[in-house]
Amino acid sequence: MEDSATAQRSNPATSDSAEEAAYRKVSWRLLPFLLLCYVVAYLDRVNVGFAKLQMLSDLKFSETVYGLGAGIFFIGYFIFEVPSNIILHKVGARVWIARIMISWGVISGAMMFVTTPTFFYIMRFVLGLAEAGFFPGIILYLTYWYPAKRRGRVTAIFMTAVALSGVIGGPLSGFILKDLSGVNGWAGWQWMFLIEGIPSIIVGIAVLIVLDDRIVHAKWLSDTEKALLERNIKAEEEHKSEVPLGQTMASGRVWLMALIYFTFVMGLYGISFWLPTIIKATGVKDVLDISLLTAIPYAFAVVAMILIGRSADHRRERRWHVAIPGLLGGLGLVLSVLWHNDTTLAMAALTLATMGILTTLPLFWSMPTAFLAGTSAAAGIALINSLGNLAGFVSPYAVGWLKDLTQSTDAGMYMLAVSMVLGSLLTLSVPAKSVNR
């Protein structure tokens, strides 16, 4: 008598139905929670952009000081990124992601005590050390559960957290800055750091309860479902090559991916750290109005990320699905400069820019994960992410320096637009057969 797995393989319709049901079960279990984790992570990373609206005048910081402090986060992030991801691969995602979230929540809350530029730099640097490994760790974690043909849409859904953090964080930060300023003798930006750091600690504790390290550990899956999912992962791993760690670090393909990612991250953090300032420059003065307006580009980006991720998986095409949004993101940045005297047109341009920039990121990650496996995947993903995220240091610092130099963000936006176009062209240079799976 055939077992259920054999019966499913003999009947393609039954097998497909069972596979869809299994992945639906996995997605409903993992994705909402991982999305929540990244929302609170990204909010803690970029809420300094809202704090800037009050913090600079309170502490007498220059635009350059702000830009350096915002960006120095990524130096700490860079230093501990690869070791953190390798540790996660060895000890398991559950314990390590919980450690990351709890530690950064504590440090993020402690940002309320900043008083000097040096203190600001130190806290941002330590926050980067604490958060290092979270994002590439989740990208690696998803490869344990989903084959490449499903990861484009899954990663897009996960990374909508970047946009959702803008939708949620903008109004929340604006409310805190405006309505809690002066309560208990604290400034609004101090309350913001404290209140927005607490969820990371709570969710970090929940990680220990909710997440399972691998398919085999998931008690909520049946043995048949586990066998089906494991078989798909094993079949894909046979087409990948796990190479020595040193060889991964020296791989030309990995370094090309890091360069492409760097160009797109330049655009990401140009938007993330400077969007409130750009909106203010169009003539909007009230801090709550600015915060509410920042939610609009991110709301549209959520929709774009999901739809384009679905299209990429359906067509099993990656390069053009990355390059076209990248080019549109660059166009939006240029238009935001040309229309900066009209708030409505500038918001339309910033919405296009945000949709394009944020859409490139999840689709980008479907490319390196298509050819990396095992420990080399852990190291390669971490290397790409850490090198790429150095743009998180370069971008806000360069924009801040140019703003101090020219008294305008225009030059900075042009710089970011060039970076987005370069990233799109480099993406099209990648051989299609190596990433279209």
Side-chain angles (χ1 to χ4, degrees):
M1 183 176 180
E2 287 186 319
D3 61 24
S4 59
T6 303
Q8 286 176 4
R9 285 194 298 270
S10 66
N11 187 332
T14 303
S15 179
D16 288 348
S17 175
E19 182 172 316
E20 289 301 323
Y23 280 112
R24 193 178 306 115
K25 192 173 184 180
V26 169
S27 294
W28 277 109
R29 171 77 181 200
L30 297 183
L31 291 183
F33 185 71
L34 294 177
L35 188 67
L36 174 64
C37 290
Y38 199 28
V39 166
V40 298
Y42 201 80
L43 184 59
D44 283 345
R45 183 186 300 186
V46 302
N47 59 8
V48 69
F50 293 102
K52 172 183 181 289
L53 298 173
Q54 292 181 347
M55 195 178 186
L56 263 64
S57 59
D58 286 355
L59 301 181
K60 305 300 187 288
F61 288 176
S62 70
E63 299 285 351
T64 304
V65 167
Y66 164 73
L68 179 57
I72 207 168
F73 167 96
F74 294 96
I75 302 299
Y77 197 91
F78 170 78
I79 291 171
F80 198 48
E81 185 83 11
V82 174
S84 180
N85 222 36
I86 293 174
I87 292 170
L88 181 148
H89 185 63
K90 299 296 184 184
V91 307
R94 188 175 65 92
V95 170
W96 198 244
I97 291 173
R99 191 285 304 165
I100 291 172
M101 295 194 68
I102 293 169
S103 61
W104 96 52
V106 171
I107 295 165
S108 182
M111 284 285 296
M112 68 179 291
F113 299 113
V114 165
T115 54
T116 67
T118 300
F119 195 1
F120 181 45
Y121 300 152
I122 291 171
M123 291 302 293
R124 289 290 295 176
F125 176 81
V126 174
L127 184 64
L129 285 177
E131 194 181 328
F134 174 78
F135 176 77
I138 297 296
I139 295 298
L140 177 66
Y141 183 66
L142 292 175
T143 69
Y144 300 159
W145 295 84
Y146 296 94
K149 67 180 181 180
R150 293 179 179 271
R151 277 201 302 273
R153 179 167 47 181
V154 168
T155 307
I157 292 172
F158 167 63
M159 289 192 67
T160 57
V162 175
L164 287 171
S165 71
V167 174
I168 298 167
L172 174 63
S173 297
F175 168 77
I176 295 171
L177 288 172
K178 186 172 183 178
D179 288 16
L180 295 187
S181 183
V183 175
N184 199 43
W186 293 346
W189 61 268
Q190 291 177 301
W191 278 110
M192 188 196 70
F193 282 129
L194 175 63
I195 291 171
E196 293 181 1
I198 292 171
S200 296
I201 300 171
I202 296 172
V203 175
I205 295 169
V207 167
L208 295 170
I209 301 169
V210 176
L211 287 192
D212 296 290
D213 287 330
R214 300 272 186 160
I215 293 169
V216 69
H217 301 128
K219 296 179 180 179
W220 41 273
L221 289 172
S222 68
D223 289 342
T224 301
E225 289 168 332
K226 289 179 184 179
L228 187 155
L229 298 174
E230 291 276 19
R231 185 167 64 248
N232 286 347
I233 296 299
K234 185 177 179 181
E236 179 174 277
E237 293 296 312
E238 290 174 355
H239 297 288
K240 298 180 180 179
S241 56
E242 180 166 5
V243 298
L245 185 59
Q247 191 174 334
T248 298
M249 297 300 208
S251 168
R253 286 198 296 179
V254 170
W255 282 85
L256 174 60
M257 290 292 152
L259 178 58
I260 293 171
Y261 194 53
F262 182 96
T263 63
F264 292 145
V265 172
M266 284 286 289
L268 171 65
Y269 289 113
I271 285 290
S272 297
F273 288 127
W274 289 95
L275 184 58
T277 301
I278 297 168
I279 293 174
K280 183 178 181 180
T282 67
V284 183
K285 301 303 180 185
D286 184 80
V287 67
L288 183 57
D289 290 342
I290 293 169
S291 300
L292 290 171
L293 285 173
T294 62
I296 295 173
Y298 288 114
F300 278 90
V302 170
V303 178
M305 293 168 77
I306 292 173
L307 292 180
I308 296 176
R310 182 179 299 168
S311 171
D313 277 356
H314 178 70
R315 292 172 172 78
R316 295 201 182 183
E317 197 289 322
R318 308 298 173 187
R319 300 182 312 150
W320 286 102
H321 282 82
V322 173
I324 292 175
L327 293 171
L328 291 175
L331 175 61
L333 290 169
V334 171
L335 292 176
S336 74
V337 173
L338 299 178
W339 295 339
H340 71 276
N341 289 322
D342 185 312
T343 300
T344 302
L345 290 178
M347 285 301 303
L350 290 169
T351 298
L352 176 63
T354 305
M355 291 169 65
I357 291 167
L358 266 61
T359 299
T360 62
L361 301 173
L363 274 300
F364 164 82
W365 282 109
S366 63
M367 296 195 297
T369 55
F371 61 81
L372 291 168
T375 302
S376 65
I381 290 169
L383 178 65
I384 292 165
N385 193 63
S386 60
L387 290 172
N389 269 300
L390 285 177
F393 170 75
V394 175
S395 181
Y397 178 64
V399 174
W401 179 77
L402 287 168
K403 188 173 189 295
D404 273 338
L405 186 67
T406 66
Q407 299 304 305
S408 170
T409 57
D410 292 359
M413 295 305 102
Y414 284 133
M415 175 191 69
L416 299 178
V418 170
S419 183
M420 294 300 299
V421 172
L422 176 60
S424 298
L425 296 177
L426 288 172
T427 297
L428 295 176
S429 75
V430 177
K433 66 180 180 180
S434 68
V435 294
N436 287 346
R437 294 181 184 177

